[in-house]
């Protein structure tokens, strides 16, 4: 633990004395976004109180309770009075459905409904009594799906169980246990203490939660559910340990987010705005935690939370209809979405998490510089999560050293520069067989990232497509605000290949030196750089010269510089969650290649000229 705390402290010590320019986000901003999302969702409600997904045409999973919870917080804050009847009707529906065992994905409902119950005291007493009766009647081990009555599967359960346990903890605080409780029903504290201690085995030393496949989203959201329960005063023998894990995980997230406030890629349920909302709420918790004991760290968390919220305004406020995933395609296309990632579910979960952020926010904490903006570091998640992050002067890269090829690809999958649209330089890799929706004609022949391929004999091998039998090591050469240099070396057993990529990161620029050695001489090598054509809303202009490729977007310019002796060409268009790309393919004789990526927006280009 001391190592990650020390790394965060080291980065914060580089901050200038002058505070950064305000983000313009505050606690009221969370309410503004909640109100906007709920206003958009209100017409989706039917006469029963259920929220019907406007794309799928049915109520899906936990959608309805994710309308009710943020709605209750909005009402308690003195906003959204025009939505009161809809919110109360939704609460009627959800409590009745959960108590009757008819709720879809019921493990997720109780936390949302307890948040709503705690924020809706000013209602007709008989109505509130019906809610209490319905919620009190829930038998968790008969209602929820991720349970183990005999205890034999406790260590096999994951995020569903955490959501359920958080709801039960809040139910305990509210005193909504079964009538005439004789101890036979495992609810509230009994449920938490049975199901949550085994969950501790899923956390890393950095306090990051491992759901199967190590998806980054489930590190974030799982920690938030636990924190939500603890925030209302739930106490039990295991609470102190979970408090410590939440604290560690928050320090890790300070180092893995991007300078503009975007969550990292990695695994399922990615590139959805609810990720940033989750991180906002977690940051507000930590800002409150450190307010008196470490004001600079509290301010870093406060500002980071505001950056997360500001980052999603482009899609939520700037597009109509609002988007729930980070692309500009119409929601009806479901581009970039898993089958369960319904428009209603995750739009409303964004609102639900912002409601938690509003609850946690302490406006006495002022913004201060955060590590993702200061930069000058490499953060290596070797083993669990298998990611390497590097940040320098508003510029970030993210590398997956052994990707889950259902969602990502191995190698450099992200090149971000602050102030430039996240999809321009690439925000995630391009898998060939994704477990999310992309038109078939846009699937690549092989997995793609920013990285090399090489030929052994007559067969081409691509780093992006490797996973099994792959090992890696990261070596940091230099870390400062102005210059970060490091290398990642992969070894692949079955092909006898050693792939070394050296990265040099400065403001708005990344230099890559790639070298491949194998059991046989490597006589030919390729290097791929996906170039954005469209995010579904905005088209780019892509040009290719003998020594440079350029992508011009209204929000910035991306250039790839390389030797004119390389053979360069464009491959067929491909797609990922964020948009459609044309891969630039560089080919050389031999086993080494060097190129430089640069990205800037208009403001940055003017500053460079001056």
């Amino acid at each position: 633990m001391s190592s990650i705390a020390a790394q965060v402290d080291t980065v914060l010590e580089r901050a200038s004395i002058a505070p950064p320019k305000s983000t313009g986000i505050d606690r009221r901003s969370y309410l503004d976004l909640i109100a906007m999302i709920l206003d958009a969702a209100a017409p989706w409600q039917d006469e029963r109180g259920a929220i019907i997904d406007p794309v799928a045409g049915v109520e899906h999973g936990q959608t309805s309770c994710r309308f009710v919870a943020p709605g209750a917080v909005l009402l308690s804050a003195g906003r959204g009075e025009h939505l009161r009847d809809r919110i109360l009707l939704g609460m009627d529906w959800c409590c009745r459905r959960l108590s009757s065992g008819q709720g879809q994905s019921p493990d997720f409902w109780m936390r949302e409904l307890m948040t709503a119950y705690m924020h809706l005291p000013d209602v007709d007493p008989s109505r509130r009594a019906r809610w209490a009766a319905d919620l009190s009647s829930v038998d968790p081990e008969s209602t929820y799906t991720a349970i183990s009555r005999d205890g034999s599967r406790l260590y096999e359960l994951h995020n569903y169980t955490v959501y359920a346990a958080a709801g039960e903890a809040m139910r305990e605080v509210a005193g909504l246990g079964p009538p005439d409780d004789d101890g036979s029903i495992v609810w509230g504290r009994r449920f938490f203490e049975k199901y949550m201690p085994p969950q501790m085995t899923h956390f890393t030393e950095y306090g990051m939660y491992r759901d199967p496949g190590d998806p980054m989203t489930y590190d974030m959201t799982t920690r938030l559910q636990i924190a939500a329960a603890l925030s209302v005063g739930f106490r039990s023998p295991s609470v102190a340990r979970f408090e410590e894990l939440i604290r560690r995980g928050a320090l890790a997230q300070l180092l893995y987010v991007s300078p503009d406030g975007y969550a990292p890629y990695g695994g399922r349920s990615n590139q959805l705005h609810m990720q940033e909302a989750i991180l906002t709420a977690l940051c507000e918790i930590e800002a409150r935690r450190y307010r008196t004991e470490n004001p600079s760290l509290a301010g870093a968390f406060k500002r980071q939370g505001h950056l997360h919220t500001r980052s999603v305004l482009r899609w939520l406020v700037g597009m109509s209809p609002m988007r729930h995933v980070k692309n500009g395609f119409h929601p009806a296309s479901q581009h970039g979405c898993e089958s369960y990632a319904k428009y209603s579910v995750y739009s409303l979960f964004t609102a639900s998490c912002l409601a938690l952020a509003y609850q946690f926010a302490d406006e006495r904490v002022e913004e201060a510089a955060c590590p993702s903006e200061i930069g000058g570091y490499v953060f290596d998640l070797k083993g669990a999560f298998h990611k390497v992050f590097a940040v320098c002067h508003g510029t970030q890269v993210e590398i997956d050293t052994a990707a889950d090829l259902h969602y990502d690809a191995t190698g450099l999958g992200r090149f971000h520069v602050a102030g430039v649209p996240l999809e321009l330089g690439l925000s995630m890799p391009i898998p060939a067989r994704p477990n999310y929706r992309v038109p078939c004609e846009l699937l690549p022949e092989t997995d793609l990232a920013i990285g090399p391929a090489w030929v052994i004999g007559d067969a081409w091998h691509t780093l992006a497509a490797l996973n099994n039998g792959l090992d890696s090591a990261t070596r940091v050469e230099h870390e400062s605000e102005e210059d970060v240099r490091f290398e990642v070396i992969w070894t692949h057993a079955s092909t006898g290949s050693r792939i070394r990529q050296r990265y040099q990161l400065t403001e708005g620029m990344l230099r890559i030196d790639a070298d491949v050695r194998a059991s046989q001489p490597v006589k030919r090598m390729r290097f791929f750089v996906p170039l954005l054509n469209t995010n579904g809303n905005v088209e780019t202009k892509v040009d290719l010269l003998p020594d440079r490729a350029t992508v011009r977007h209204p929000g910035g310019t991306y250039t790839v510089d390389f030797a004119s002796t390389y053979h360069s060409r464009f491959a067929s268009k491909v797609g990922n969650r964020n948009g459609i790309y044309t891969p630039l393919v560089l080919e050389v004789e031999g086993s080494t290649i060097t190129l430089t990526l640069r990205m800037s927006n208009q403001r940055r280009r003017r500053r460079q000229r001056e």
Side-chain angles (χ1 to χ4, degrees):
M1 171 53 197
S2 58
S3 62
I4 191 169
Q7 187 170 10
V8 170
D9 287 342
T10 298
V11 176
L12 290 178
E13 287 171 1
R14 300 193 189 111
S16 60
I17 296 175
K21 183 179 178 181
S22 171
T23 60
I25 301 294
D26 60 22
R27 194 176 185 225
R28 293 167 298 179
S29 303
Y30 305 150
L31 294 178
D32 293 341
L33 285 173
I34 293 167
M36 187 207 75
I37 294 170
L38 296 189
D39 280 340
W44 307 341
Q45 190 177 50
D46 69 12
E47 68 281 357
R48 303 168 300 171
I51 300 298
I52 307 302
D53 187 273
V55 176
V58 295
E59 181 187 25
H60 184 81
Q62 60 273 30
T63 301
S64 297
C65 58
R66 287 178 173 174
F67 177 81
V68 171
V73 172
L74 192 66
L75 289 174
S76 71
R79 300 274 297 272
E81 191 61 31
H82 63 291
L83 295 170
R84 174 178 287 273
D85 289 345
R86 290 184 178 274
I87 294 165
L88 300 185
L89 181 63
M91 185 68 169
D92 294 340
W93 168 255
C94 290
C95 290
R96 189 164 63 249
R97 292 285 283 181
L98 185 60
S99 67
S100 64
Q102 297 177 327
Q104 299 176 38
S105 304
D107 312 64
F108 297 95
W109 287 48
M110 188 63 80
R111 205 284 294 160
E112 302 283 359
L113 294 182
M114 289 312 309
T115 295
Y117 185 83
M118 291 176 174
H119 285 82
L120 288 173
D122 186 22
V123 297
D124 178 78
S126 62
R127 192 174 207 168
R128 187 170 174 81
R130 287 197 302 272
W131 297 343
D134 285 339
L135 294 171
S136 297
S137 71
V138 174
D139 178 346
E141 292 192 320
S142 297
T143 303
Y144 304 148
T145 61
I147 57 96
S148 178
R149 285 183 179 273
D150 64 4
S152 62
R153 296 180 54 248
L154 290 176
Y155 291 87
E156 301 171 22
L157 303 175
H158 287 84
N159 80 86
Y160 273 57
T161 299
V162 177
Y163 274 84
E168 288 301 312
M170 295 176 74
R171 186 180 167 198
E172 176 82 39
V173 172
L176 295 181
D180 303 319
D181 181 18
D182 62 1
S184 62
I185 295 178
V186 180
W187 76 281
R189 182 176 287 105
R190 289 196 289 269
F191 187 93
F192 193 95
E193 285 303 320
K194 175 178 178 179
Y195 284 89
M196 286 302 291
Q199 292 294 314
M200 291 182 188
T201 63
H202 302 324
F203 283 87
T204 72
E205 63 176 319
Y206 287 161
M208 294 177 64
Y209 183 86
R210 302 187 70 184
D211 217 47
D214 284 345
M216 295 296 291
T217 297
Y218 293 87
D219 161 49
M220 310 165 200
T221 190
T222 307
R223 287 187 285 115
L224 179 58
Q225 304 316 306
I226 301 170
L230 303 188
S231 73
V232 298
F234 176 73
R235 292 294 176 262
S236 78
S238 58
V239 159
R241 176 61 173 151
F242 281 112
E243 281 277 14
E244 174 62 14
L245 291 169
I246 290 168
R247 190 172 75 91
R248 294 185 188 186
L251 290 170
Q253 80 186 38
L254 274 184
L255 297 175
Y256 69 49
V257 297
S258 85
D260 264 342
Y262 294 112
Y265 74 82
R268 67 187 191 279
S269 302
N270 206 269
Q271 302 300 304
L272 296 158
H273 307 317
M274 57 96 170
Q275 293 178 290
E276 284 73 25
I278 292 166
L279 290 171
T280 296
L282 286 166
C283 283
E284 289 288 8
I285 292 169
E286 299 306 309
R288 180 184 291 271
R289 182 197 304 275
Y290 293 107
R291 184 177 67 84
T292 56
E293 69 175 82
N294 191 337
S296 64
L297 184 55
F301 275 112
K302 173 66 75 171
R303 181 171 176 82
Q304 188 64 68
H306 289 171
L307 287 171
H308 290 313
T309 295
R310 191 176 70 177
S311 75
V312 301
L313 298 181
R314 171 185 167 199
W315 292 277
L316 293 180
V317 178
M319 295 185 186
S320 181
M322 65 180 178
R323 308 303 200 256
H324 72 307
V325 64
K326 293 179 182 64
N327 65 54
F329 297 97
H330 193 280
S333 73
Q334 301 179 63
H335 185 104
C337 298
E338 288 94 340
S339 60
Y340 58 81
K342 303 301 184 189
Y343 183 58
S344 58
V345 177
Y346 287 114
S347 294
L348 289 169
F349 193 42
T350 299
S352 177
C353 294
L354 288 173
L356 293 176
Y358 176 80
Q359 293 172 245
F360 299 142
D362 185 338
E363 295 295 70
R364 292 173 294 179
V365 179
E366 297 184 357
E367 290 184 2
C370 48
S372 66
E373 291 181 303
I374 300 166
Y377 63 85
V378 177
F379 182 44
D380 186 7
L381 293 176
K382 183 173 174 58
F385 295 98
H386 42 82
K387 302 285 192 299
V388 179
F389 302 88
V391 182
C392 181
H393 218 305
T395 305
Q396 187 205 39
V397 295
E398 178 183 349
I399 297 164
D400 197 324
T401 58
D404 179 346
L405 300 180
H406 298 98
Y407 301 96
D408 302 301
T410 299
L412 175 60
R414 171 171 291 186
F415 175 43
H416 275 188
V417 173
V420 177
L422 88 166
E423 68 271 21
L424 183 54
L426 202 63
S427 194
M428 62 167 292
I430 305 174
R433 294 166 296 281
N435 279 5
Y436 57 81
R437 187 186 297 266
V438 171
C440 292
E441 64 271 18
L442 294 176
L443 297 179
E445 293 182 4
T446 186
D447 305 277
L448 290 175
I450 301 172
W454 59 98
V455 67
I456 301 176
D458 296 325
W460 281 94
H461 303 274
T462 306
L463 174 63
L466 298 182
N467 179 290
N468 294 325
L470 189 66
D471 195 15
S472 68
T474 303
R475 185 176 70 87
V476 178
E477 297 178 9
H478 177 76
E479 294 175 307
S480 73
E481 282 187 81
E482 304 300 326
D483 182 17
V484 171
R485 298 188 298 273
F486 68 103
E487 68 177 17
V488 181
I489 298 175
W490 287 269
T491 54
H492 187 239
S494 64
T495 62
S497 300
R498 177 184 181 275
I499 307 99
R500 173 185 177 272
Q501 293 196 87
R502 183 177 182 273
Y503 304 95
Q504 180 180 12
L505 197 63
T506 58
E507 183 179 8
M509 189 196 80
L510 173 66
R511 176 187 166 102
I512 305 172
D513 295 285
D515 174 85
V516 180
R517 297 288 184 268
S519 54
Q520 301 178 37
V522 175
K523 297 181 179 180
R524 201 159 189 81
M525 185 175 172
R526 292 173 181 160
F527 201 95
F528 297 91
V529 184
L531 304 177
L532 180 69
N533 291 116
T534 180
N535 64 3
N537 186 50
V538 175
E539 306 287 330
T540 67
K541 188 178 188 311
V542 183
D543 295 311
L544 181 59
L545 298 173
D547 60 353
R548 170 176 290 188
T550 304
V551 185
R552 291 180 176 84
H553 181 285
T557 299
Y558 180 34
T559 61
V560 182
D561 293 309
F562 48 87
S564 59
T565 54
Y566 298 169
H567 174 68
S568 59
R569 61 180 174 85
F570 288 147
S572 300
K573 292 181 180 179
V574 296
N576 67 7
R577 295 186 195 263
N578 302 120
I580 299 173
Y581 293 80
T582 295
L584 169 67
V585 184
L586 306 176
E587 190 163 340
V588 298
E589 299 287 343
S591 61
T592 62
I593 195 167
T594 297
L595 65 157
T596 301
L597 314 180
R598 290 185 174 87
M599 199 154 47
S600 63
N601 57 24
Q602 292 292 342
R603 185 176 66 242
R604 189 182 297 271
R605 288 201 298 272
R606 283 196 297 270
R607 187 170 71 243
Q608 289 172 342
R609 287 198 298 268
E610 293 167 358

